[in-house]
Amino acid sequence: MKVRNLIIYLIVFLAMGVFMCVYIATGSKNDAPAYPTEINRLLIRLGREWDDVKDRKEQKITSEEPFEFAVLDMEGNLLQYTKEGIATSVSAATAGFDVIRDIEKDGIIVGRLLVHNPYLELQSRRDIRQSMMIGVLFLCMLLISVGYFLYLRSRVVKPFDRLKGFAARVAGGDLETPLEMDRGHVFGAFTESFDIMREELKASREREAEAVRSRKELVAELSHDIKTPVASIKAMADVMSLTAKDDMERDTIAAINGKADQIDRLISNLFHATLEELEQLEVKPGELSSTEILQMLREADYQRKIVHAELKDAVVLADRLRLNQVLSNIITNSYKYANTEITVNSSYEENGRKYLVIEIGDKGGGVPEEELELVTEKFKRGSNSGEKEGSGLGLYISKYFMEKMEGSLECFNRDGGFAVRLKLPEA
């Protein structure tokens, strides 16, 4: 709120207050008029005409005098009067502060003249005027106050609410919506500064996102590049195993080959996770028959632990490469953590759309119930994994692929083991 506006507001109120006080002070000095000369002339005239006046009885007359009056005889009887409502007895005249004068004839008091004092009527009219003036004053004060309130609301409260809403939007991450510029209100000088702050925050966030993206791209590129020498190491190890001279040398070469496989798997998981965060893992669903899925299961089961595999005839929408990765992840996990027989069953499910449901389960004891929802999250593993190596990315990536193919992946315990349910939409 500007100091100038406050000073103007106070001056207006002070001026109106002073005016009201002066008006009341000067208005209270308006006394009732006095007519001594006119009253004396009237007394003389009544004395001369008394013989005619005394025979009258409560007669209302018209008078040219500038005041109202009543005439009484010595017994207090009303002889004549000029107006209804004025005092017609000595006691009433005394109570109303009227002028009471004796009427004389030949030096003898023969009656009384009661001159009406209009003080009470004047006071009543003065009170009414003062009340109206006070009412007008308060009405003006109310109008000024309402106007000033509306001014404050328009120039202070609403701009502050806009600034508060702008700050809330910025805190919530909305850096696109600019702040409306308005230099006419109290916070006008801050408006441009706030919007500059928004633009700087937006630019800073874009720079940060670009830096994070660059780091992820670097990790993805390095992961991809590392896979080439690892493949060369595996190839050379295979060649060396054919020319090994004794068992110790063959065991050493096998260990090298195993570690190369481990490095290759870890690099693959890191590469996939990095690309997924960059939204570069492409999933292109196409028509795929259940016979082809069954063939994928056989190829993934290189240890031949699947003892039962039954898939219903269906044609589903799936990405061949990504579904192969999903099945390989599930079978490999079963080898690693259960190392038991594996069964594969299927069924149909309809939920606004028809799905082929594939359940892959083992007999390895499963995972604790409270961990079932966690094993599909990034870098999460069941507490039963023990000392076995793993990154916690296999089921996470598999679930991501299934959702991209408009299906789903769900983990649960069944028949003393761990099972995964895959849902694929029919074509």
Side-chain angles (χ1 to χ4, degrees):
M1 182 172 61
K2 296 182 178 179
V3 177
R4 182 189 63 185
N5 296 332
L6 179 61
I7 293 175
I8 294 174
Y9 183 72
L10 293 176
I11 290 176
V12 170
F13 264 73
L14 181 62
M16 295 181 69
V18 170
F19 172 76
M20 193 64 202
C21 291
V22 171
Y23 176 81
I24 293 174
T26 56
S28 62
K29 296 180 181 179
N30 293 331
D31 297 327
Y35 305 101
T37 304
E38 289 81 358
I39 292 174
N40 287 333
R41 283 202 300 264
L42 178 59
L43 287 172
I44 294 171
R45 182 166 59 82
L46 289 173
R48 288 198 306 265
E49 298 175 358
W50 184 254
D51 290 337
D52 182 50
V53 173
K54 68 178 181 179
D55 295 329
R56 298 175 183 176
K57 185 177 182 181
E58 298 182 4
Q59 183 180 5
K60 183 178 180 181
I61 63 173
T62 301
S63 172
E64 296 179 357
E65 301 294 340
F67 51 83
E68 308 296 336
F69 63 90
V71 178
L72 308 179
D73 59 16
M74 293 305 296
E75 284 77 23
N77 297 317
L78 176 62
L79 302 179
Q80 63 183 27
Y81 63 96
T82 59
K83 182 182 178 181
E84 298 286 349
I86 64 175
T88 57
S89 66
V90 175
S91 59
T94 303
F97 304 102
D98 293 345
V99 177
I100 304 174
R101 299 288 297 274
D102 293 332
I103 301 173
E104 295 181 0
K105 181 181 179 180
D106 300 331
I108 300 172
I109 298 174
V110 294
R112 288 186 173 84
L113 173 66
L114 308 180
V115 179
H116 177 64
N117 186 351
Y119 174 79
L120 295 179
E121 288 87 341
L122 294 175
Q123 181 65 37
S124 177
R125 287 196 293 269
R126 186 165 57 248
D127 291 343
I128 292 173
R129 286 197 303 270
Q130 290 177 355
S131 298
M132 293 178 63
M133 199 67 184
I134 293 173
V136 171
L137 175 65
F138 277 108
L139 179 61
C140 292
M141 289 182 175
L142 178 62
L143 293 176
I144 294 174
S145 299
V146 170
Y148 200 56
F149 170 78
L150 295 176
Y151 169 80
L152 291 177
R153 180 176 176 81
S154 172
R155 295 299 183 180
V156 179
V157 178
K158 286 186 176 180
F160 182 78
D161 287 341
R162 284 197 293 270
L163 285 176
K164 183 169 67 173
F166 173 76
R169 291 196 304 273
V170 170
D174 180 9
L175 299 178
E176 299 297 330
T177 306
L179 180 62
E180 180 183 352
M181 297 293 181
D182 185 1
R183 295 183 176 275
H185 56 71
V186 177
F187 302 103
F190 300 99
T191 304
E192 186 174 359
S193 299
F194 269 69
D195 202 58
I196 291 175
M197 177 191 69
R198 175 192 64 81
E199 293 177 352
E200 288 298 322
L201 285 174
K202 179 182 176 182
S204 176
R205 181 169 294 183
E206 290 174 350
R207 289 192 295 269
E208 180 183 2
E210 183 61 30
V212 171
R213 183 178 180 85
S214 298
R215 288 197 297 270
K216 289 180 179 180
E217 289 176 348
L218 177 62
V219 171
E221 291 173 2
L222 290 175
S223 300
H224 184 270
D225 293 342
I226 290 173
K227 290 175 70 68
T228 301
V230 170
S232 299
I233 292 172
K234 286 175 58 63
M236 287 187 289
D238 290 338
V239 172
M240 291 175 63
S241 66
L242 298 175
T243 60
K245 297 178 181 179
D246 52 40
D247 291 340
M248 182 178 294
E249 189 174 344
R250 279 190 289 271
D251 289 343
T252 302
I253 294 171
I256 293 173
N257 204 351
K259 292 300 181 181
D261 286 337
Q262 180 183 348
I263 294 172
D264 185 63
R265 287 194 298 271
L266 292 175
I267 293 299
S268 295
N269 287 336
L270 179 60
F271 179 63
H272 289 163
T274 304
L275 287 181
E276 185 274 325
E277 288 184 354
L278 292 172
E279 297 182 357
Q280 292 180 356
L281 280 177
E282 294 185 6
V283 178
K284 297 180 179 179
E287 292 187 359
L288 198 64
S289 68
S290 55
T291 303
E292 293 174 281
I293 297 174
L294 193 59
Q295 181 61 32
M296 292 179 189
L297 286 168
R298 293 194 184 99
E299 292 175 356
D301 182 30
Y302 59 88
Q303 293 187 12
R304 299 296 181 264
K305 290 188 177 292
I306 297 179
V307 297
H308 174 78
E310 179 186 354
L311 292 183
K312 295 184 178 298
D313 292 335
V315 177
V316 299
L317 287 175
D319 185 308
R320 181 186 302 275
L321 173 62
R322 301 312 181 191
L323 183 59
N324 204 345
Q325 287 181 262
V326 171
L327 297 175
S328 296
N329 274 329
I330 295 171
I331 299 298
T332 302
N333 280 349
S334 181
Y335 289 169
K336 184 188 300 184
Y337 300 114
N339 197 26
T340 65
E341 296 177 348
I342 300 173
T343 59
V344 180
N345 297 301
S346 66
S347 61
Y348 293 119
E349 181 178 311
E350 288 195 25
N351 184 16
R353 187 175 184 180
K354 195 170 183 180
Y355 292 88
L356 175 65
V357 180
I358 304 174
E359 292 186 2
I360 305 172
D362 56 43
K363 304 289 184 180
V367 300
E369 292 290 334
E370 63 273 11
E371 298 178 2
L372 286 173
E373 294 185 1
L374 298 178
V375 294
T376 56
E377 294 183 8
K378 189 184 296 185
F379 306 121
K380 298 292 185 180
R381 303 172 69 197
S383 58
N384 63 333
S385 59
E387 300 297 327
K388 297 181 178 65
E389 296 179 355
S391 60
L393 287 172
L395 288 177
Y396 166 77
I397 296 174
S398 297
K399 183 178 180 180
Y400 170 79
F401 286 150
M402 292 301 298
E403 291 175 350
K404 286 291 185 179
M405 291 186 287
E406 300 184 14
S408 65
L409 181 150
E410 178 186 358
C411 300
F412 61 98
N413 291 320
R414 183 193 70 179
D415 299 332
F418 181 75
V420 177
R421 180 183 291 119
L422 304 176
K423 290 173 59 176
L424 291 166
E426 284 198 346

